[in-house]
Amino acid sequence: MTMNKIKSGREVMVVGVGLHPFGRFPDKDLGQLAIEAVLPALEDAAVKWKDIAVAYFGHVYYQGMSVGETSLSKLGLTGVPIVNVENACSSGSTAFWQAYWGITTGLYDMALAFGAEKVPRGPVTVTAEDAPERYIGGDHMMAGYALRGKRYMEETGAPATALAQVTVKARQNAAMNPFAHRKDTYTIEEVLNSRMIADPLTLFQCCPTSEGSAAAVLCAREDLAKYGINESRAVSVAAAVLTSGDYNGRGADHSAFSPYRTEPAAIQAYEMSGISPEDVDLVQVHDAATIGELQQVEALHLLPFGEAWKGTMEGRTALTGDIPVNTDGGLLAMGHPFGASGIRMIHETVTQLRGEAGPRQVANARIGVAQCSGAGDVTTVHILKRG
Amino acid sequence: MVTKRHQQANILGMAGQWHCIIPTMPDSESAITPVSIDPQRLRLTNDDASTGTLIGFKCNECEASVFGPAIFCQQCTSTDLKAVDLGNKGILFSFTIVRIPPAGWPGEIPYVLGQVELPSGPQVLAEVINCEHKDLKIGMGVELVLKSVPAENGGPDKAVYKWRPV
Ligand SMILES: [Zn+2]
């Protein structure tokens, strides 16, 4: 693949973020969940709904047509473009990516990116009834991660305890996060002794499916004053990259489970921002299973290939380490409402860079990366920068 | 015993054409020849659907192989492709013992899911059968074996490709 040098335009800032707790909310429909993240994001930005010039809504499961429009109509009809975005587990981060590009190109002053989901309980499948994958037994997200885990352990010598430590750390972070779906903490032994899903992955090493929502308001830096936005709490978007699959003869069966698209996306993002991996203070990655976190951190060049498991065991990815990973608990403990997760990562990154993460605060956090993956080898990498 | 498949055949008004369907004799089900699980990935090589070869394309420009359908090369985007047999042997690249199966899984639980690398490069996911879990090893040789599985929505059985240790 030829990698495009990405040319951005106007500097774009995240000026407000909002989050609805992740969990199970049978009394709220998708639109209601969405609004309950959008309102706090608008309030956080101290802007009015009528200032939003465009909105992008990430969600995956069908909940009726044009849910983005119907949910936002409760705030008042303003006639702005509203786009419903489906890009698997990266739907939310894709909505954010679109909002960025809508502003940097000069089309809009201010944009809303939001996402919400009510994921059904049980294992997640991708294909429709009677599809070949159903007979082959390969349409199983966690089995796909398990294949990666088994291979990673063989190649790197990582023990099962290193994978389990990813969950232990995620739960410790989530215990300090009132928005998390799972807040109980576990020992390595408890993680390994939970029900086996597909070896080496036990239940506590797989993210829960969840309901929830997240929202972000973005604005061009040069337009902040026009809308009376407080620049001191605004966080700059230094890179926004979206990629899709490029399977290089590996075969479609395999590509859905591979993390290999993260590295080229990360290289593009580092080039676009002029930021190098050594400059990164914290990172949120797509940890739908423990092995995912290890491989994504390596693909982002934040720890050497084959060594993220050691870094994890040594505490380097903990809140107090040199490269804290999934500071809010990640998918493993926050849970995974597909359309919301990508923007949840932005929410956490912005909160950390503002120094407003309370007991989870990473000291002197200035630059944060958010990486989100989805079926179809969708990968997004965003780099955010304070000031 | 009336199976789901027989009911489907009756709904379609096809029972009369399928002289082999005798609802009181389930053993006769195998008399209907299974069809390939995916004709773009598995070509049956005998009449009773017991043997087959994986198929795909090879690029005449860069030599990359693709498992399954392709219009252009996935590596170099050339459209100069030739249909090829990818054979029935490979090496176990990774595997997992799946204890909680996905929706619609028609086989036994637990089952072994194998990620197998073909000699020409592509990787193919399928169940690994005829093996003791403790004997499974990354790097071991495996070969294709076809098993007939009832179709989820009725119709002829599906000939599904699986792997077994060589
Ligand atoms: Zn080629």
Side-chain angles (χ1 to χ4, degrees):
Chain A
M1 188 192 88
T2 320
M3 271 211 301
N4 293 320
K5 262 239 185 296
I6 297 178
K7 294 194 252 348
S8 55
R10 307 196 294 168
E11 185 177 3
V12 178
M13 315 290 279
V14 182
V15 296
V17 286
L19 193 64
H20 182 286
F22 287 7
R24 289 287 170 191
F25 308 97
D27 299 336
K28 294 179 185 178
D29 67 16
L30 190 71
Q32 184 61 32
L33 275 179
I35 286 300
E36 291 188 28
V38 170
L39 287 172
L42 292 170
E43 194 180 327
D44 183 43
V47 297
K48 297 185 185 68
W49 163 235
K50 69 176 177 52
D51 294 333
I52 299 291
V54 64
Y56 300 94
F57 176 49
H59 71 112
V60 176
Y61 285 94
Y62 184 72
Q63 304 268 339
M65 291 185 199
S66 301
V67 175
E69 282 85 344
T70 52
S71 58
L72 289 177
S73 69
K74 292 172 186 163
L75 301 180
L77 302 173
T78 59
V80 299
I82 299 172
V83 183
N84 292 277
V85 181
E86 193 274 295
N87 230 357
C89 300
S90 300
S91 297
S93 57
T94 301
F96 184 84
W97 178 85
Q98 288 179 292
Y100 170 86
W101 286 101
I103 295 170
T104 196
T105 52
L107 273 176
Y108 307 107
D109 290 357
M110 203 186 302
L112 170 70
F114 67 123
E117 204 74 63
K118 290 173 81 76
V119 183
R121 292 172 193 272
V124 173
T125 53
V126 176
T127 51
E129 209 171 278
D130 208 44
E133 290 78 6
R134 304 253 290 195
Y135 298 91
I136 286 160
D139 182 8
H140 190 314
M141 286 286 182
M142 287 306 143
Y145 276 106
L147 292 170
R148 282 163 52 179
K150 181 80 94 182
R151 181 77 194 183
Y152 182 89
M153 291 165 77
E154 173 88 3
E155 286 183 8
T156 67
T161 49
L163 269 66
Q165 178 59 29
V166 175
T167 296
V168 170
K169 181 220 22 131
R171 294 296 188 113
Q172 284 167 349
N173 293 352
M176 292 180 272
N177 185 353
F179 293 92
H181 191 169
R182 299 269 191 260
K183 300 181 194 74
D184 302 335
T185 55
Y186 294 119
T187 62
I188 285 179
E189 289 68 33
E190 286 168 328
V191 172
L192 292 177
N193 290 334
S194 63
R195 187 163 58 135
M196 185 61 81
I197 303 294
D199 77 308
L201 299 180
T202 55
L203 180 65
F204 294 164
Q205 297 188 58
C206 305
C207 73
T209 53
S210 314
E211 302 174 14
S213 59
V217 177
L218 297 81
C219 186
R221 181 166 209 147
E222 63 190 22
D223 292 329
L224 294 181
K226 185 161 123 191
Y227 295 95
I229 295 169
N230 176 0
E231 190 168 333
S232 69
R233 289 180 72 247
V235 168
S236 180
V237 184
V241 175
L242 167 66
T243 61
S244 65
D246 169 23
Y247 70 12
N248 283 324
R250 293 159 198 245
D253 274 354
H254 171 49
S255 63
F257 302 129
S258 168
Y260 74 102
R261 292 302 295 154
T262 298
E263 189 179 24
I267 291 169
Q268 278 188 322
Y270 291 133
E271 274 184 8
M272 181 178 174
S273 61
I275 287 168
S276 62
E278 305 83 69
D279 303 327
V280 175
D281 297 310
L282 75 154
V283 58
Q284 316 300 319
V285 300
H286 197 84
D287 59 334
T290 49
I291 178 63
E293 172 166 317
L294 300 178
Q295 294 192 306
Q296 300 296 359
V297 167
E298 293 172 7
L300 289 164
H301 295 179
L302 297 172
L303 287 171
F305 280 100
E307 293 185 20
W309 71 269
K310 285 183 201 156
T312 301
M313 293 299 268
E314 292 161 5
R316 295 183 63 187
T317 60
L319 282 180
T320 50
D322 60 315
I323 181 66
V325 181
N326 290 329
T327 50
D328 62 357
L331 300 171
L332 282 169
M334 277 298 293
H336 190 17
F338 300 166
S341 287
I343 300 175
R344 183 269 300 166
M345 295 179 182
I346 299 292
H347 178 280
E348 174 65 5
T349 308
V350 168
T351 304
Q352 289 279 354
L353 298 185
R354 284 171 167 175
E356 297 173 357
R360 301 194 313 282
Q361 184 62 47
V362 172
N364 304 315
R366 213 177 64 81
I367 292 171
V369 171
Q371 179 277 330
C372 194
S373 301
D377 285 326
V378 181
T379 298
T380 57
V381 175
H382 289 98
I383 302 180
L384 305 188
K385 198 171 99 185
R386 187 174 68 196
Chain B
M1 188 186 83
V2 178
T3 66
K4 186 180 169 192
R5 204 184 69 210
H6 297 134
Q7 290 168 352
Q8 185 75 16
N10 281 316
I11 289 164
L12 297 173
M14 292 164 69
Q17 298 165 34
W18 292 3
H19 58 88
C20 49
I21 294 182
I22 304 167
T24 51
M25 292 176 62
D27 284 349
S28 67
E29 286 184 21
S30 59
I32 304 170
T33 308
V35 297
S36 170
I37 174 79
D38 184 347
Q40 293 184 301
R41 290 193 169 83
L42 171 69
R43 182 166 59 79
L44 304 177
T45 52
N46 67 358
D47 290 340
D48 66 359
S50 62
T51 62
T53 178
L54 298 174
I55 55 175
F57 289 88
K58 184 168 185 180
C59 176
N60 283 324
E61 291 190 22
C62 79
E63 308 242 296
S65 293
V66 174
F67 171 50
I71 297 167
F72 54 86
C73 173
Q74 298 293 335
Q75 182 156 286
C76 75
T77 72
S78 166
T79 52
D80 186 8
L81 305 178
K82 59 171 176 275
V84 290
D85 284 355
L86 298 172
N88 57 3
K89 289 196 162 47
I91 299 288
L92 196 59
F93 181 85
S94 191
F95 66 93
T96 179
I97 299 156
V98 180
R99 294 183 188 274
I100 308 294
W105 170 245
E108 287 176 16
I109 304 163
Y111 68 95
V112 179
L113 181 65
Q115 178 179 359
V116 170
E117 190 161 301
L118 305 179
S120 51
Q123 294 186 337
V124 177
L125 287 183
E127 186 185 7
V128 185
I129 59 171
N130 299 350
C131 61
E132 293 288 329
H133 292 173
K134 65 176 173 45
D135 297 334
L136 287 163
K137 247 190 161 46
I138 286 175
M140 74 193 292
V142 292
E143 64 184 7
L144 210 65
V145 54
L146 302 192
K147 292 287 170 192
S148 159
V149 174
E152 195 172 2
N153 291 341
D157 285 359
K158 308 271 190 178
V160 179
Y161 54 87
K162 296 172 187 278
W163 299 104
R164 70 176 170 211
V166 177

